[in-house]
Amino acid sequence: MTTRAQFLDRIRAEMGKTRGSFPSRVSERPARPVEAADIIRRQLAERWPDTLERFRTEFERVGGVFHRVATASDIPRAVGAIARERDARDLVAWHAAGIGADVEAGLVSEGLAVRAVSLGATDAERRELRAASATAALGLTGVDLAIAEMGTMVLRSGAGRPRSTSLLPPCHVAVFDPSVLVESLEQAGVFLEAWHAEGGDWGAMINFITGPSRTADIELTLTRGVHGPKEVHAVFVEGGLRG
Amino acid sequence: MSEPELATPFRERTGRALGDRFLQQALDIATTKFIVLRREAFENLPEGDRLRDRAREIKEATLQQLDRHLDRLIDEIERRGGHVHFATTAEEARAIVLGIARRTGARTAVKAKSMATEEIHLNEALEAAGVAPIETDLGEYIIQLAHERPSHIIAPAIHKTRGQVAELFARELRRPGLSDDPEILTRVAREELREKFLAADLGITGANFAVAETGSVVLVTNEGNGRMSTSLPRVHIAVMGVEKVIPSMTDLVVFLAILARSATGQRLSVYTTLVQGPKRAAELEGPDEFHLVLLDNGRIPQIAGPLREALSCLRCGACLNVCPVYRQIGGHAYGYTYPGPIGILLTAMLNGPTSVKDLAHASSLCGACADACPVRIDIPRMLVTLRKEVNEQRIAPWTERVAFTILGKVLTRPALYRLARSFGRIAQRPFARDGAIRRVPLAFGEWTRSRDLPAVAPRTFQEQWAELERERAR
């Protein structure tokens, strides 16, 4: 078996023979990404309605369904309406910390059977979550970034934030507020740099989600919901989440 | 392991493709659609050209310090509890994957579409070792059920009709009387594959990129099968060519902005998944083990080789769609894992120049591929280099070598050229008709089997030019 040292040595040997004839340039990265992200956030705070409008247009273009509510206490009613339209009852939800609001009681009073994810992680819980996620009709998550340019939502995995909540149920509902809106993929790049620079572990998985799952593999006919959700809803909370 | 298509000579493979009326129609519709979607996507991106330049410069800069970036990538993945393996050959890569499968007692593996695992013929090896590989990209699933090979990098089953898919599903999945509505066929595939995802032991994927600084392996999919394969099974193995590494997240977003636009005309594919090692202790889901297999398989020698530029390829398929040869013959006729203009270069990289003695000529050198390439790879230039190499290694037929050696001498010596012109006018008399020679005699007849040779004109351009010059002087 080839070892790391042998493998890299061979690469170095070949690099030594090159003449480096093509133009090359590394990207200019933000020197202080955490501060750069803060600056972007502050600038965008003043003009979020424009960013939101762009997000909405692009999100709908890729087949997403947009909703808007005034405060976090309106979330259960919006989710309840989505569920009733689909005759759906079973819902898996991220932990309140991941969504940015505690909506469990509200969802229950909307008549939904809610499996809210805990922050702990025992084997029994793992099995139970797998079974619940595989059969749930709805998955409710928070959003870490909403990119207006392409109608994309970025979700980080972690404690209380299972990866499959936005994947296994046929309908994914994501809740977000003005604080996570960015204009462009380039700005999202600054946030990715910032999350990394903040140190510590930034999660085992990050997903960029741009509309419902799709394929065109049979005669180029666009079909939704091949493996992931057939429907993706974004619920915008104007008054903000997380307190 | 061999490529089954190669049992038939290249000329016969192309002849078969050209005679297949459905394939011709399917190729025309698919490639034209991809071309239009790509053009529209870039029209809406004013900074597109700048981003393409940047992407190429990043790839080149990364290659110039490839050892350093890989070193960092390995450190970051190991720091997060992942494992990195090193495969010099396809055989070694297969052995690594099989070793992991054996140790973990795996019986089934769900696979997300990956050219790297196609390239190393992993499925056959898994089957032989008693592990059932299940392709989960809808297109790949279809061709796996049909025991065929992909015909396009991003649309593997474009050569099949909906009727053929319905028949295939009805037979293989025991669902008689299945409608040929793509919506229904897709639902059937969802049901079948959902069970497999939930029960699989291994998730095997490729990687579109790996970000060195953060130890992230990046997968881009539209269906969600990449997410399933990296979230549900207890072990995730990613197989990736060494050239896929890029330095930072700032670099990644540059590539994401052009990749989907070039491939399908989307601004971004539905899912972009960043995997950073195995499941964390506090997480309820995700694999217990994460493995990255770094693959050489002919890539490393090209760092200083004539095909270096091809190491920047993103596998978007844009060059296939615009290629006048691919548009006629489709992916299968190429005979190897990677079809199209870039495929010829990658085949030469993986299997040596002898493997492309015919393929090196399966291009009109029109340059459409270089125009479409998101990272501006000069494919025609390298195809010419390959032709030269094929010629020098004496793998071309002797008639071709003799003809081109003579032609080379004649074209570079004006006096000899004029002499040949006069001689040609006389020699061509029995064969030339309407300004073309339809059949060259003797062993050189191969040249005119599928094309005409232009006859020497009664008055050549040079002769006319000289005459005009003389008139002007008077």
Side-chain angles (χ1 to χ4, degrees):
Chain A
M1 287 286 165
T2 310
T3 64
R4 174 176 180 167
Q6 287 167 343
F7 199 78
L8 293 178
D9 279 348
R10 277 194 60 231
I11 289 173
R12 279 184 204 108
E14 293 299 323
M15 286 169 58
K17 297 182 210 162
T18 59
R19 295 174 298 275
S21 50
F22 297 101
S24 69
R25 191 164 47 117
V26 288
S27 290
E28 246 177 74
R29 300 171 54 201
R32 294 189 187 80
V34 179
E35 285 158 46
D38 265 348
I39 292 169
I40 291 173
R41 211 192 296 270
R42 251 176 293 152
Q43 285 170 345
L44 290 178
E46 288 157 28
R47 55 171 190 267
W48 68 258
D50 293 339
T51 316
L52 180 69
E53 211 34 54
R54 176 101 195 267
F55 175 84
R56 179 184 181 153
T57 306
E58 296 304 327
F59 181 65
E60 288 175 346
R61 192 202 301 275
V62 294
V65 185
F66 181 84
H67 309 260
R68 185 172 184 152
V69 298
T71 65
S73 59
D74 300 320
I75 296 170
R77 205 163 346 124
V79 177
I82 295 169
R84 274 188 297 278
E85 262 178 55
R86 273 143 207 94
D87 262 337
R89 259 198 93 236
D90 295 311
L91 176 143
V92 177
W94 272 11
H95 185 272
I99 294 177
D102 194 347
V103 291
E104 190 178 348
L107 291 171
V108 171
S109 56
E110 285 289 322
L112 291 166
V114 182
R115 168 71 172 82
V117 177
S118 67
L119 285 177
T122 66
D123 281 345
E125 272 174 301
R126 287 200 170 101
R127 277 192 300 275
E128 202 201 316
L129 175 70
R130 171 71 70 96
S133 306
T135 53
L138 292 124
L140 183 68
T141 72
V143 172
D144 293 286
L145 280 180
I147 310 171
E149 187 187 359
M150 36 257 296
T152 300
M153 302 188 288
V154 181
L155 278 63
R156 294 163 72 171
S157 82
R161 310 161 140 251
R163 318 159 175 217
S164 74
T165 314
S166 59
L167 182 65
L168 290 175
C171 180
H172 171 208
V173 183
V175 179
F176 74 116
D177 72 3
S179 71
V180 298
L181 275 167
V182 295
E183 288 167 333
S184 64
L185 195 55
E186 200 177 338
Q187 288 175 349
V190 176
F191 279 83
L192 288 168
E193 293 271 7
W195 292 345
H196 179 58
E198 275 164 1
D201 193 3
W202 65 332
M205 179 177 280
I206 298 172
N207 276 300
F208 285 53
I209 301 173
T210 312
S213 156
R214 57 177 254 175
T215 187
D217 275 350
I218 301 175
E219 288 194 4
L220 295 180
T221 312
L222 182 64
T223 313
R224 296 212 166 107
V226 53
H227 292 308
K230 202 179 178 72
E231 286 180 46
V232 179
H233 297 257
V235 180
F236 178 73
V237 183
E238 191 171 339
L241 294 158
R242 294 175 180 91
Chain B
M1 304 229 175
S2 64
E3 306 278 351
E5 296 278 344
L6 298 182
T8 320
F10 179 62
R11 191 190 299 279
E12 266 176 58
R13 299 201 299 270
T14 54
R16 209 162 46 192
L18 292 171
D20 183 339
R21 280 181 54 199
F22 170 74
L23 179 69
Q24 290 297 308
Q25 203 188 340
L27 281 170
D28 190 45
I29 294 170
T31 53
T32 305
K33 184 163 180 175
F34 282 133
I35 289 172
V36 171
L37 290 172
R38 177 183 158 273
R39 194 175 53 218
E40 285 171 359
F42 275 96
E43 274 167 8
N44 289 318
L45 186 72
E47 68 272 34
D49 275 338
R50 188 179 57 84
L51 286 171
R52 289 169 67 192
D53 289 333
R54 267 190 69 192
R56 176 55 188 276
E57 287 166 3
I58 294 166
K59 277 280 183 186
E60 187 54 35
T62 312
L63 270 184
Q64 288 175 13
Q65 298 194 307
L66 188 61
D67 61 331
R68 198 168 64 83
H69 294 300
L70 285 174
D71 221 23
R72 179 73 192 265
L73 176 71
I74 300 161
D75 282 346
E76 291 298 324
I77 288 176
E78 289 180 346
R79 206 160 63 81
R80 290 172 175 77
H83 304 274
V84 183
H85 310 263
F86 308 91
T88 305
T89 62
E91 191 187 355
E92 199 172 355
R94 290 193 298 267
I96 290 164
V97 175
L98 292 183
I100 298 166
R102 231 182 336 263
R103 185 177 48 73
T104 56
R107 302 306 304 272
T108 58
V110 281
K111 289 188 65 213
K113 190 170 134 34
S114 138
M115 296 307 291
T117 59
E118 287 277 346
E119 167 192 325
I120 62 168
H121 300 288
L122 184 61
N123 287 1
E124 293 94 319
L126 284 169
E127 267 167 37
V131 183
I134 300 141
E135 292 290 349
T136 60
D137 170 86
L138 179 59
E140 293 271 351
Y141 180 60
I142 291 168
I143 58 165
Q144 189 185 32
L145 285 178
H147 303 287
E148 289 176 14
R149 310 273 303 238
S151 60
H152 189 287
I153 292 182
I154 60 157
I158 45 169
H159 60 285
K160 293 199 104 57
T161 63
R162 61 177 75 190
Q164 286 171 333
V165 176
E167 266 173 48
L168 182 72
F169 279 12
R171 191 177 65 237
E172 297 292 323
L173 306 175
R174 296 194 184 79
R175 297 200 188 218
L178 199 57
S179 149
D180 69 355
D181 180 354
E183 186 86 29
I184 290 169
L185 295 171
T186 303
R187 200 186 314 143
V188 168
R190 178 186 170 103
E191 287 165 15
E192 292 281 335
L193 288 169
R194 180 58 70 94
E195 280 174 39
K196 312 275 190 200
F197 280 127
L198 290 168
D201 305 305
L202 296 182
I204 302 179
T205 69
N208 292 86
F209 308 97
V211 181
E213 195 179 283
T214 57
S216 313
V217 166
V218 185
L219 297 171
V220 178
T221 71
N222 272 318
E223 300 183 356
N225 57 325
R227 292 185 61 191
M228 294 277 188
S229 307
T230 54
S231 297
L232 302 177
R234 56 197 159 89
V235 180
H236 171 207
I237 307 172
V239 181
M240 181 187 93
V242 287
E243 80 282 13
K244 295 280 176 193
V245 67
I246 52 174
S248 71
M249 286 291 163
T250 303
D251 298 314
L252 176 67
V253 293
V254 174
F255 288 100
L256 292 181
I258 56 172
L259 175 60
R261 282 182 164 98
S262 301
T264 55
Q266 291 165 279
R267 294 184 186 193
L268 212 56
S269 296
V270 178
Y271 302 115
T272 300
T273 304
L274 281 58
V275 176
Q276 280 112 199
K279 169 184 75 195
R280 303 297 188 265
E283 263 189 294
L284 281 165
E285 284 175 335
D288 298 322
E289 288 184 28
F290 170 74
H291 299 268
L292 175 67
V293 181
L294 284 175
L295 184 64
D296 168 2
N297 203 24
R299 290 167 172 81
I300 291 174
Q302 291 302 338
I303 292 171
L307 303 174
R308 175 185 172 98
E309 264 193 275
L311 292 171
S312 296
C313 172
L314 308 181
R315 312 283 192 266
C316 70
C319 65
L320 277 60
N321 301 325
V322 299
C323 176
V325 176
Y326 178 88
R327 288 169 62 96
Q328 294 299 318
I329 65 173
H332 289 152
Y334 286 82
Y336 289 89
T337 305
Y338 298 98
I342 192 70
I344 301 171
L345 303 178
L346 297 174
T347 300
M349 189 183 286
L350 269 41
N351 306 290
T354 316
S355 61
V356 297
K357 69 179 165 57
D358 295 319
L359 288 175
H361 296 273
S363 162
S364 63
L365 302 181
C366 69
C369 49
D371 275 348
C373 178
V375 288
R376 305 189 196 280
I377 298 173
D378 191 348
I379 299 172
R381 179 186 67 78
M382 286 184 282
L383 284 173
V384 172
T385 309
L386 272 179
R387 288 180 186 184
K388 184 160 171 278
E389 203 168 333
V390 165
N391 198 46
E392 278 164 2
Q393 294 205 353
R394 298 174 170 259
I395 30 194
W398 71 268
T399 44
E400 197 178 304
R401 276 186 283 125
V402 169
F404 280 107
T405 309
I406 295 172
L407 192 64
K409 290 208 183 343
V410 169
L411 289 180
T412 49
R413 290 168 180 76
L416 202 55
Y417 177 77
R418 281 192 294 273
L419 192 67
R421 197 169 59 195
S422 311
F423 173 75
R425 263 192 202 122
I426 301 161
Q428 75 186 7
R429 268 182 202 153
F431 311 100
R433 201 161 302 149
D434 302 329
I437 298 166
R438 307 224 192 286
R439 227 165 56 79
V440 176
L442 305 174
F444 300 99
E446 195 68 0
W447 178 266
T448 45
R449 236 174 83 158
S450 53
R451 45 166 128 51
D452 293 342
L453 185 69
V456 181
R459 276 171 76 233
T460 64
F461 176 77
Q462 285 195 351
E463 286 164 339
Q464 290 181 50
W465 182 264
E467 208 166 291
L468 283 171
E469 289 278 283
R470 278 197 298 276
E471 263 173 40
R472 209 165 58 111
R474 271 205 294 270

